[in-house]
Amino acid sequence: MYRIQSIIATMLLALLIPISPVSADEWPQWRGPNRDGVWRETGILEAFDGPEIPTRWRVPIGSGYSGPSVADGRVYVTDRLAKPKQVERVQCFAWETGELLWSYTYDCEYRINYVAGPRATVTVHNGLAYALGAMGHLHCFDAVTGELKWKRELNAEYNIAMPTWGIASAPIVEGTNLIVQIGGTPEACIVAFDRESGAERWKVLDEKASYSAPIVITQGNARVLVIRTAESIAGLNPKTGAVYWRHPFPPNRMEVGIASPVSYRNELFFTDFFDGSLLLKLNPDEPSMKLGWHRKGESERNTDALHSTMSTPVRIGEFIYGVDSYGELRCLDARNGDRIWEDLTAVPKARWSNIHFIRNGDRVWMFNERGELLITKLSPDGLNIISRAKLIEPTRDQLNRRGGVTWSHPAFAYKHVFARNDEELVCASLAKSGNGED
């Protein structure tokens, strides 16, 4: 009876939560609506008023690498608690107030390195929320009430060759399929499920999983799932799993790549901490490709082109901007990978030092690992930092070095930014007026 009353109360509360205006942008999955790191809202502030950004609200959460997602007036995030026992949680908050709307907890014993918490951002689509945990627990919820629709324990079902740092690739919805990268064996690196029932649709590739989240593009008249595994880059038919094309990209030392594929016109760009940069040229008429160029340095310290760890670069015209292995912000000529310039002012230099790039109009917003937001312009002439301010404090669970980090990707929706560390989730207005209104 208590469970039924709780569900009814949650549903009634959800109906009372103000829903965002239809015209407002949302952030329902990894790197935004189209997985391209583009924030399309207008009426955004030009510069910060001071050295710190005032928060609208802040709520306590546990540790985790997963960034928040925002859809239909709700904010979703996953986290981990280690005491009194190891659990992962999926939590949902009201976007305007930070009030907890629902939370789901399940036992999850970690057997991986870097135990700060779940990695994959929750994917929200057509009223359903999909959460993939670091050990392979896949849950589907009613996005409003938190009612569990279905679940799969993928490690037990698919005998995952568990990556060193666990499962990290955010699920993607394409058509009626929910597609995940898990590194299952045999031939189950990529698995598709019916997004409403959880039934398996297809599985493919006898390869280990990477930490990179896939994207979907169009080649000719075909939709193509572009996914980087630990051993190759593949273009798949998202309906059937059939392999359209595949380019080997095995790790020189170990798989550490987190950056997503970057799509621009008929080219795809990839980058890796140890293995440098690679550009594929796509056939615009049908699903096929050829190698454009591949460049890498002698080591992660003596690099060539761009050796990124977790930061997905941004491409603007014929130039690519990204963070090298030790925090060096670089501009590359997309034609050949030549370095145009390097800058060390956006984030302190350190191993794996990170920036997340978000485009808004002609500006690039940067969220660096010190918890700062930077409003910038990028061009072949250099980096122009227009304004910068602190949003959230670094914490030590994600990385117990250099005073901690803020490695989770923020979300941008309703003219606000949503960011998390290992202790709290915060929301701050970025509207011109500072109150969320034009």
Side-chain angles (χ1 to χ4, degrees), residues 37 73-74 165 180 217 259 330 372 389 438:
R74 298 168 184 85
W165 296 290
V180 297
I217 63 172
R330 288 180 177 171
E372 297 177 314
D438 282 332

Side-chain angles (χ1 to χ4, degrees), residues 161-178:
M162 188 63 67
T164 302
W165 296 290
I167 303 301
S169 178
I172 188 169
V173 172
E174 175 65 15
T176 59
N177 287 343
L178 176 77

Side-chain angles (χ1 to χ4, degrees), residues 228-373:
R228 180 189 170 188
T229 73
E231 301 172 49
S232 71
I233 300 162
L236 308 178
N237 182 327
K239 290 183 179 180
T240 67
V243 179
Y244 284 130
W245 50 258
R246 180 178 175 274
H247 182 82
F249 194 30
N252 179 45
R253 288 178 54 182
M254 61 185 299
E255 171 53 40
V256 297
I258 301 172
S260 286
V262 177
S263 175
Y264 180 78
R265 295 181 178 173
N266 296 313
E267 295 180 342
L268 289 168
F269 178 77
F270 302 83
T271 180
D272 181 86
F273 184 75
F274 290 114
D275 295 297
S277 297
L278 182 149
L279 185 136
L280 298 179
K281 292 186 175 292
L282 304 178
N283 186 332
D285 300 319
E286 62 180 20
S288 63
M289 62 80 207
K290 64 180 180 180
L291 176 64
W293 50 265
H294 180 200
R295 294 176 62 162
K296 66 178 180 179
E298 296 177 1
S299 70
E300 72 273 17
R301 284 186 176 272
N302 186 10
T303 62
D304 182 28
L306 189 63
H307 290 226
S308 293
T309 309
M310 66 198 79
S311 174
T312 299
V314 57
R315 180 160 177 179
I316 303 174
E318 295 306 313
F319 299 93
I320 298 166
Y321 305 88
V323 182
D324 201 58
S325 58
Y326 278 73
E328 305 95 333
L329 177 59
R330 288 180 177 171
C331 171
L332 304 183
D333 186 330
R335 294 173 298 178
N336 49 29
D338 284 352
R339 188 190 314 173
I340 306 300
W341 54 257
E342 179 177 283
D343 190 284
L344 292 170
T345 59
V347 67
K349 186 173 182 177
R351 187 177 178 88
W352 313 306
S353 197
N354 184 57
I355 299 171
H356 293 300
F357 301 95
I358 303 91
R359 292 186 64 183
N360 180 266
D362 65 348
R363 301 191 174 189
V364 176
W365 289 63
M366 300 183 187
F367 180 66
N368 71 18
E369 67 168 46
R370 309 315 303 157
E372 297 177 314
L373 267 180

Side-chain angles (χ1 to χ4, degrees), residues 11-304:
M11 292 178 68
L12 291 174
L13 177 62
L15 292 173
L16 295 175
I17 299 299
I19 302 300
S20 61
V22 175
S23 60
D25 209 7
E26 297 193 327
W27 204 268
Q29 61 176 333
W30 167 248
R31 302 191 72 234
N34 299 317
R35 293 201 169 202
D36 56 4
V38 177
W39 176 31
R40 294 170 173 83
E41 287 185 301
T42 58
I44 306 304
L45 57 81
E46 301 290 330
F48 301 114
D49 291 333
E52 295 190 2
I53 303 171
T55 55
R56 179 171 183 149
W57 53 257
R58 57 182 68 235
V59 295
I61 60 173
S63 66
Y65 296 96
S66 59
S69 50
V70 184
D72 297 326
R74 298 168 184 85
V75 186
Y76 303 84
V77 72
T78 58
D79 65 1
R80 177 178 186 261
L81 301 177
K83 295 179 180 180
K85 62 178 180 178
Q86 296 185 50
V87 299
E88 287 185 334
R89 298 187 299 182
V90 185
Q91 303 206 73
C92 175
F93 301 89
W95 93 264
E96 288 189 310
T97 64
E99 180 179 2
L100 180 65
L101 299 179
W102 58 263
S103 181
Y104 183 89
T105 302
Y106 57 94
D107 293 347
C108 184
E109 181 180 353
Y110 275 27
R111 299 178 181 178
I112 53 177
N113 291 342
Y114 284 66
V115 295
R119 286 84 162 117
T121 298
V122 174
T123 300
V124 186
H125 183 85
N126 279 1
L128 297 176
Y130 305 95
L132 179 59
M135 294 301 297
H137 295 84
L138 178 61
H139 293 87
C140 171
F141 303 95
D142 182 299
V144 175
T145 68
E147 177 188 358
L148 180 65
K149 293 297 187 179
W150 54 265
K151 66 178 180 178
R152 306 289 296 253
E153 295 191 11
L154 303 180
N155 194 17
E157 295 182 50
Y158 291 94
N159 189 31
I160 292 174
M162 188 63 67
T164 302
W165 296 290
I167 303 301
S169 178
I172 188 169
V173 172
E174 175 65 15
T176 59
N177 287 343
L178 176 77
I179 304 168
V180 297
Q181 177 177 195
I182 58 171
T185 59
E187 296 186 357
C189 180
I190 317 300
V191 185
F193 301 96
D194 183 286
R195 64 179 178 83
E196 293 188 347
S197 70
E200 182 190 302
R201 286 284 186 82
W202 53 259
K203 57 185 179 180
V204 70
L205 296 182
D206 191 16
E207 301 180 10
K208 295 181 180 179
S210 77
Y211 310 100
S212 173
I215 62 173
V216 176
I217 63 172
T218 299
Q219 280 190 270
N221 295 320
R223 296 284 281 171
V224 179
L225 176 76
V226 178
I227 195 155
R228 180 189 170 188
T229 73
E231 301 172 49
S232 71
I233 300 162
L236 308 178
N237 182 327
K239 290 183 179 180
T240 67
V243 179
Y244 284 130
W245 50 258
R246 180 178 175 274
H247 182 82
F249 194 30
N252 179 45
R253 288 178 54 182
M254 61 185 299
E255 171 53 40
V256 297
I258 301 172
S260 286
V262 177
S263 175
Y264 180 78
R265 295 181 178 173
N266 296 313
E267 295 180 342
L268 289 168
F269 178 77
F270 302 83
T271 180
D272 181 86
F273 184 75
F274 290 114
D275 295 297
S277 297
L278 182 149
L279 185 136
L280 298 179
K281 292 186 175 292
L282 304 178
N283 186 332
D285 300 319
E286 62 180 20
S288 63
M289 62 80 207
K290 64 180 180 180
L291 176 64
W293 50 265
H294 180 200
R295 294 176 62 162
K296 66 178 180 179
E298 296 177 1
S299 70
E300 72 273 17
R301 284 186 176 272
N302 186 10
T303 62
D304 182 28

